[in-house]
Amino acid sequence: MRNRKLIIGIIGLLGLIGPLGNSRAQNGFNMPYSQFGIGSSEQPFNMPVATRMGGAVYTLGGNNFTNPFNPASYGWVETESFVFDMGLSIQTTTLREGSNRVFDADGNLGYLTIAMPITRWWKLGGGLMPYTSVDYESVSQSGYMDSGIVKTIYDGTGGASQVFLGSAFNIPAGKSRTLMVGFNVNYLTGSIQRAISFDFQGNDSTYYLDSRRFRDTRLGNLTFDFGLQLRQQLGDRYTLGLGLVYKPYRDMTVRDKALIYTYHATDQTLVDTIFPAAGGDAEYRSRLEQSQTFGVGLSIERNKRWQLAFDLTLADWADMRYTEDTAHAVLGSSAMSFGPYSRYALGFEKKGNMDASSYMGRISWSAGAHLTQGALRLTLGGQEQRIDEWGFGLGATMPMRKGRSLLTLSLAYTSLGNSDILQRNAMTIGISVSSCERWFTKRKYN
C-alpha cells in the first residue's frame, strides 16, 4: 500500500509538471519594469503562505502545508501524510507617472506543489510556480528630418516558470531540538518575446520604411536552492526558529532567435529582411546569470499561540541577469542596470487553537510587511536612481476536515518605484487550499 501510493504521488507530480511546465508566467497587464532581465519576479508574493506574513518565509513549516522557499521545510510532513497545495490570485494594478494613471486587473493560477514522505527521515517536495512575468507596451514619438513623426513602440510578452523537485532530511538533534536540511533542483522554462517597432507617420514613404526588431528568448536552465531549518525549545513556553537559504551563482546560456525587417505601414506586409542576412542564422546564444543569494530567518513562538518572524535576503543583484550576445544586440542597450539587492520582511501570526469550541477560535490570523532595496537602477541625466519596493500583507488560515487541511485567504499591497519615474501599485487577493491526506496508514482490518 505504501509503495503503491508513493508511486501514484510521484506520477501525479510529473503529470502536473508535464503540461504546465511549458506554460508562461504571464499576468496579462502592462508591467513596464518587466522589460528588463527576464521579467518581473512575483516570488515569494505569489503564494498566500508568504504574503500573509509579509514575505517572512524562511522559518515557516508545518505538517499540512508546503513552503518551497526553504526546501528544508518538507521535513515537517508526517510519515503517513500526503500534502497538496494549490493557489489562485486576483490582482489590480495602478501605474503612475506624474499626473498620468492607468488601471488594470487580472487573475491567474499561482502555484501547484506537493510534499510526501519517502522514509521517516527523508521527505520529497515538488511543483510548479511562476518565476517571472513579461508584459508591457509603451509608445514614444519624435520628429525626423523635418518631414514627419516617428512613433516607437516597445512591447513584450511571456515569462518563465519554475518546475522544481526537492528533498528534505530530518537529522537527529536531541529531544528539545529539531534540525532539517534540504535542497531544490529547479528547471526554468519559458519563452519571452520582445520587440521594437518604428512607425514613420509622414507622407514620404520612399526613403522611410516602417521597421520592426523582434527577439524571442527561450529558457531551459537548471538552478539549485539549499535550505536549513532549526527549532530549539527555550524552556516550557518558547521555541526559537532559525532558517537559512542559499542560492549559488549560476552562469547559463539561453537561446535567442531574432528578426529585423521593414514593412508597409498600410497592410503590414514584409518588404525586406535585414537580419539575418541571406544564408545567415537567426538563432544565437546569450548569457543568463543567477546571483549568489543568502537568506536568513529568525522566529520566536510561544506555546503554539503566536509567532513572530523576521527575514533578511541579500544578493549581488536580484533574480536573473540577461546579457544579449554583443555580436547581435538587436534591441540595443537601455539606461537600466543591476546592483546590490536586499529584502527585509517582518511577520506576525496569532495561531488558532485547534481545541477551541468555536470555529472562529481555530482560525489563525497573520500580518506582515516588507521593504526591498531593489536591484534595478535607472540612470537619468547622469544620476542613478534605485527602484525600491515596499508592501504589507494580511491573512487568515482556516482549518478544514478537523484541522488537517487548510484554506488560506490573503490580501497584499505592494508599491514599486516612484511617480517621478514610474510607480506600480498593486493589490493582490490570494486564496490557497492545502490538502493534507493520510495516504500511508496501514489498515488493521480489510
Side-chain angles (χ1 to χ4, degrees):
M1 175 69 70
R2 177 185 179 89
N3 292 335
R4 185 176 67 185
K5 290 191 173 180
L6 175 59
I7 293 172
I8 292 173
I10 295 175
I11 292 175
L13 172 62
L14 295 176
L16 289 172
I17 289 175
L20 292 174
N22 294 322
S23 64
R24 296 183 302 182
Q26 182 177 343
N27 280 331
F29 48 77
N30 198 2
M31 299 186 299
Y33 286 119
S34 69
Q35 63 184 293
F36 307 106
I38 61 169
S40 298
S41 175
E42 301 296 325
Q43 295 186 0
F45 308 107
N46 55 325
M47 294 184 68
V49 68
T51 58
R52 68 184 180 87
M53 294 287 288
V57 293
Y58 295 145
T59 61
L60 292 183
N63 62 1
N64 52 0
F65 69 92
T66 59
N67 174 21
F69 302 109
N70 188 338
S73 65
Y74 307 146
W76 293 105
V77 177
E78 296 176 346
T79 55
E80 72 277 8
S81 297
F82 178 89
V83 180
F84 172 79
D85 276 10
M86 179 180 71
L88 306 170
S89 65
I90 300 173
Q91 189 173 73
T92 63
T93 299
T94 302
L95 297 176
R96 294 181 56 194
E97 184 180 10
S99 60
N100 300 318
R101 294 193 181 190
V102 178
F103 177 83
D104 209 341
D106 194 31
N108 56 28
L109 177 67
Y111 63 93
L112 295 170
T113 61
I114 68 167
M116 70 181 78
I118 304 297
T119 66
R120 290 184 178 274
W121 52 270
W122 178 17
K123 313 296 171 59
L124 180 73
L128 168 70
M129 296 190 299
Y131 188 74
T132 64
S133 298
V134 175
D135 196 347
Y136 64 90
E137 183 176 11
S138 59
V139 179
S140 65
Q141 293 190 104
S142 60
Y144 68 98
M145 300 294 291
D146 298 325
S147 58
I149 294 176
V150 58
K151 182 168 68 173
T152 305
I153 305 168
Y154 305 85
D155 64 274
T157 59
S161 296
Q162 176 180 332
V163 182
F164 63 94
L165 185 65
S167 287
F169 306 93
N170 299 76
I171 298 176
K175 292 183 178 181
S176 63
R177 184 179 302 158
T178 303
L179 176 62
M180 294 168 291
V181 295
F183 68 89
N184 276 336
V185 179
N186 311 297
Y187 180 68
L188 302 183
T189 178
S191 176
I192 300 170
Q193 297 83 39
R194 290 189 170 100
I196 302 177
S197 301
F198 301 96
D199 181 9
F200 292 94
Q201 298 183 322
N203 297 323
D204 186 359
S205 60
T206 305
Y207 302 102
Y208 301 102
L209 286 176
D210 295 339
S211 67
R212 183 171 173 84
R213 295 170 171 259
F214 173 81
R215 184 184 68 212
D216 182 13
T217 302
R218 295 187 175 274
L219 286 76
N221 307 94
L222 289 177
T223 65
F224 306 92
D225 303 338
F226 301 93
L228 176 147
Q229 283 193 345
L230 171 68
R231 291 189 184 177
Q232 173 68 55
Q233 288 291 129
L234 301 177
D236 297 331
R237 295 184 177 181
Y238 296 96
T239 301
L240 180 66
L242 170 67
L244 299 176
V245 171
Y246 173 66
K247 296 182 179 182
Y249 171 80
R250 289 277 291 150
D251 192 350
M252 302 164 282
T253 58
V254 294
R255 294 173 296 165
D256 280 335
K257 185 175 182 179
L259 180 64
I260 304 176
Y261 59 94
T262 58
Y263 60 89
H264 283 300
T266 54
D267 54 8
Q268 300 288 313
T269 37
L270 187 145
V271 176
D272 186 26
T273 299
I274 300 173
F275 178 89
D281 192 354
E283 295 189 358
Y284 54 94
R285 294 183 178 273
S286 295
R287 188 179 183 187
L288 183 65
E289 297 172 88
Q290 174 184 266
S291 60
Q292 180 176 239
T293 304
F294 299 91
V296 58
L298 292 173
S299 67
I300 185 74
E301 179 182 327
R302 179 180 177 181
N303 289 348
K304 297 184 178 181
R305 294 182 181 178
W306 56 261
Q307 70 166 334
L308 182 67
F310 172 77
D311 279 6
L312 170 63
T313 307
L314 299 173
D316 296 332
W317 65 87
D319 305 320
M320 295 286 176
R321 182 162 62 185
Y322 166 85
T323 306
E324 188 176 17
D325 182 3
T326 54
H328 301 87
V330 296
L331 299 186
S333 60
S334 72
M336 299 297 293
S337 60
F338 292 86
Y341 165 91
S342 59
R343 186 178 77 234
Y344 308 88
L346 180 66
F348 176 82
E349 179 182 26
K350 180 185 180 299
K351 293 179 173 292
N353 181 4
M354 293 298 103
D355 298 324
S357 57
S358 67
Y359 182 75
M360 292 296 294
R362 297 195 292 271
I363 298 177
S364 298
W365 304 92
S366 51
H370 76 274
L371 173 63
T372 299
Q373 296 179 338
L376 282 177
R377 267 73 169 165
L378 175 62
T379 302
L380 291 175
Q383 300 233 342
E384 184 180 79
Q385 298 191 46
R386 189 179 65 200
I387 310 299
D388 292 343
E389 180 184 86
W390 64 271
F392 63 87
L394 305 170
T397 303
M398 296 166 281
M400 303 186 298
R401 294 189 179 184
K402 298 182 180 179
R404 290 189 59 80
S405 297
L406 301 173
L407 173 67
T408 300
L409 303 177
S410 66
L411 176 66
Y413 175 84
T414 57
S415 180
L416 174 66
N418 61 74
S419 58
D420 293 334
I421 307 172
L422 180 67
Q423 187 174 33
R424 176 178 181 259
N425 298 324
M427 186 74 72
T428 306
I429 300 173
I431 178 172
S432 69
V433 178
S434 301
S435 176
C436 182
E437 302 290 343
R438 292 186 180 274
W439 270 34
F440 307 114
T441 302
K442 183 180 292 186
R443 294 181 182 178
K444 294 183 179 180
Y445 305 98
N446 292 324

